[in-house]
Amino acid sequence: MWKAQVLAAARGSHLVRHLIGAMFAPAKEIEGKINDKPVQVSNPAYEEWYATDQQTRARAVNTRLALATAQRGNQTIVEYVGKLRTLSDEMASAGRPLEDEELVEYIITGLNHDFDPIVFILVERVEPVPVSDLRRAWN
């Protein structure tokens, strides 16, 4: 379901080709003419590509900062995990999808000390913990 939502947002923003790496940068300069003499001029297509690419990168940086600084606070655990899942979806739509294990790391980093026993058990596990398994850990 999240994939459909992310793809819809990416298509609506005309970013799909940027995100999947199919949109290569056009040449920075193209051949033009001044007084009938060939000269190199700035390529407007490159400038447009660059602006779009930078917007995608800025979005990814801002979203990663939000993930890194997220705290559970007064939210229920379900609300908190939902918020971080939404941020993870934002990363995917910006072309920087998170691995499940990385999302779990962000989630447990923002928990308060009430969750220390559970966090300790999760950190000590040898195999990665899927986000879907976290709910069972808190029940």
Side-chain angles (χ1 to χ4, degrees):
M1 184 166 128
W2 73 266
K3 183 177 180 180
Q5 293 171 336
V6 168
L7 282 175
R11 285 183 187 120
S13 301
H14 304 283
L15 293 173
V16 172
R17 293 182 66 202
H18 276 268
L19 299 178
I20 63 173
M23 179 65 110
F24 297 102
K28 286 184 180 182
E29 295 181 335
I30 56 175
E31 192 170 301
K33 289 190 176 187
I34 296 179
N35 297 330
D36 290 330
K37 291 185 178 186
V39 294
Q40 291 295 107
V41 295
S42 181
N43 184 354
Y46 175 80
E47 293 171 9
E48 184 177 326
W49 174 89
Y50 185 76
T52 301
D53 190 59
Q54 291 303 301
Q55 288 172 347
T56 306
R57 290 176 193 272
R59 182 175 169 199
V61 168
N62 288 333
T63 304
R64 191 166 299 273
L65 286 172
L67 280 162
T69 59
Q71 297 290 311
R72 179 175 165 253
N74 294 328
Q75 300 171 6
T76 67
I77 196 67
V78 172
E79 291 169 336
Y80 171 68
V81 171
K83 176 184 172 182
L84 270 70
R85 278 184 179 260
T86 299
L87 290 170
S88 176
D89 292 346
E90 284 280 325
M91 288 297 294
S93 71
R96 306 267 199 285
L98 300 178
E99 296 291 328
D100 213 34
E101 187 174 359
E102 188 176 6
L103 178 56
V104 169
E105 291 168 2
Y106 282 119
I107 291 169
I108 64 176
T109 299
L111 294 174
N112 57 24
H113 292 294
D114 296 341
F115 290 87
D116 283 352
I118 295 170
V119 170
F120 179 76
I121 291 169
L122 295 173
V123 170
E124 290 297 312
R125 286 182 55 170
V126 175
E127 68 279 350
V129 179
V131 176
S132 58
D133 284 1
L134 288 179
R135 178 169 281 163
R136 281 184 248 149
W138 290 306
N139 289 333

